[in-house]
Amino acid sequence: MDRNGSMVAPAPLSRGCAIGLIGIDGVGKTTLAGELERRLTERGTQAVLLSRRQYLKTRPRDFVGDTMAALYEGSLRTLYGFADLAEGGTLGDHFPPPAGPVTSAGFERILDAAAITGNDPHALVASMLCEIAGHLAFREAVVAPAVRAGNVVIEDTHGIKMVVKLYLLAASLAGSWEQLNDSLEAVLKAGITALGPDPATAVPVLVQVDPEIAYQRRVAQHGRVGGMEHYGPVGRANGRDSYVELQSRSQKIFDEIGTQWGCLRVDLPPHDREGGLRTAVDQILAAMDELGEGQYQ
């Protein structure tokens, strides 16, 4: 506020930054992102929540928007299109045409309800590549300009999460197939390298919690877990055990990435959710202030 009590827009920062949250499904990244945005706004800092998924739902009708939509669609089509169905055929037989609404809630329900009995691991490798390309495009065309404009950009889900899950889904099908396993390792390594944070402008944050707790939170929030939160897309069971296994394996890889990227590690314990949330935000703010030499205070 100014001296007359009127609201004044925050002044542009001399240097923006990007906060990317990494962690398993149900860990609390979206809640943490919202609280971080609120605290930053209270401090008079320009903060903006960005997610690739939301961008695609409201994307501008231009080259950038169309390109990122095509990459997202490519990821979905290669992930699910070759999946075998219990009634015969593949799930791709039921896909809308290329101009169809693959980002719609109705289409997502079709994917979630499909009785998948198997999948093609090579298609999942292709999906990994589409995800890497899509998140690179999103970072360069959407996130980076917002950071250069002096905003604190908060991504509640870093792009590496989906790459890791696709890797694990494909690996569960690869078995001892050496050439396929080598390809998977190479693509995962490429994704970790390509999507790594810029140490000059980014604060990567690894959010940690017991996968069992994450499962309970997910079910409490939505009544079920999502279609890509278990091994269902490759034809395995899709219940609690499947969720916990996929998330536990994901968390191990995230831990390795956290070390490689120098991530800030925060916990959201179940016994003190509010206190844990407050502490986590305090840790992120401190890391931001160190990065920005105090300009976010």
Side-chain angles (χ1 to χ4, degrees):
M1 292 187 181
D2 62 17
R3 66 181 63 186
N4 297 316
S6 301
M7 294 299 296
V8 177
L13 296 167
S14 60
R15 183 178 173 193
C17 74
I19 312 296
L21 304 183
I22 305 166
I24 64 175
D25 297 305
V27 74
K29 297 185 298 296
T30 300
T31 302
L32 177 57
E35 180 62 13
L36 177 59
E37 181 193 31
R38 186 188 69 80
R39 292 272 298 275
L40 284 167
T41 301
E42 283 185 348
R43 291 167 61 153
T45 299
Q46 295 181 120
V48 57
L49 281 171
L50 287 179
S51 75
R52 181 180 171 221
R53 184 182 179 87
Q54 188 59 35
Y55 174 85
L56 288 169
K57 291 182 177 180
T58 59
R59 76 180 193 274
R61 297 290 176 173
D62 58 13
F63 165 75
V64 171
D66 290 343
T67 299
M68 282 194 278
L71 289 167
Y72 179 80
E73 181 173 332
S75 175
L76 269 183
R77 287 181 178 275
T78 49
L79 165 59
Y80 285 105
F82 297 91
D84 300 315
L85 297 177
E87 64 267 26
T90 64
L91 188 50
D93 297 333
H94 305 276
F95 274 25
V102 295
T103 58
S104 71
F107 184 64
E108 289 181 3
R109 284 193 290 271
I110 292 175
L111 299 181
D112 289 348
I116 296 173
T117 59
N119 210 326
D120 183 342
H122 292 95
L124 272 68
V125 174
S127 187
M128 289 175 70
L129 292 167
C130 288
E131 281 294 315
I132 294 169
H135 282 286
L136 274 174
F138 180 69
R139 184 172 70 182
E140 295 308 310
V142 180
V143 176
V147 170
R148 287 195 295 269
N151 294 287
V152 174
V153 176
I154 307 166
E155 287 189 84
D156 64 358
T157 300
H158 192 284
I160 197 63
K161 186 182 84 167
M162 188 64 174
V163 176
V164 168
K165 287 200 291 187
L166 288 166
Y167 164 82
L168 290 169
L169 291 173
S172 73
L173 299 171
S176 58
W177 194 344
E178 184 176 353
Q179 184 177 1
L180 178 56
N181 280 304
D182 287 346
S183 295
L184 282 169
E185 293 295 333
V187 175
L188 177 61
K189 183 178 180 180
I192 293 171
T193 300
L195 299 177
D198 178 353
T201 60
V203 178
V205 180
L206 177 58
V207 190
Q208 304 171 118
V209 77
D210 187 319
E212 292 277 0
I213 300 301
Y215 175 77
Q216 294 171 20
R217 288 177 180 170
R218 215 61 171 168
V219 173
Q221 288 174 334
H222 306 291
R224 62 181 181 84
V225 296
M228 268 299 296
E229 297 178 358
H230 47 65
Y231 282 97
V234 294
R236 290 178 50 185
N238 57 12
R240 171 194 162 278
D241 291 346
S242 183
Y243 172 93
V244 171
E245 180 184 345
L246 180 62
Q247 303 302 329
S248 296
R249 291 180 183 274
S250 296
Q251 189 149 270
K252 288 181 180 179
I253 297 177
F254 292 148
D255 186 61
E256 295 171 2
I257 292 171
T259 299
Q260 184 172 331
W261 286 0
C263 288
L264 171 68
R265 297 170 187 259
V266 302
D267 295 300
L268 295 178
H271 58 276
D272 184 15
R273 190 84 188 276
E274 289 189 9
L277 190 62
R278 184 168 54 252
T279 299
V281 171
D282 287 342
Q283 290 177 276
I284 296 171
L285 292 176
M288 288 175 54
D289 287 337
E290 182 177 354
L291 177 72
E293 299 176 347
Q295 74 161 330
Y296 305 112
Q297 293 179 2

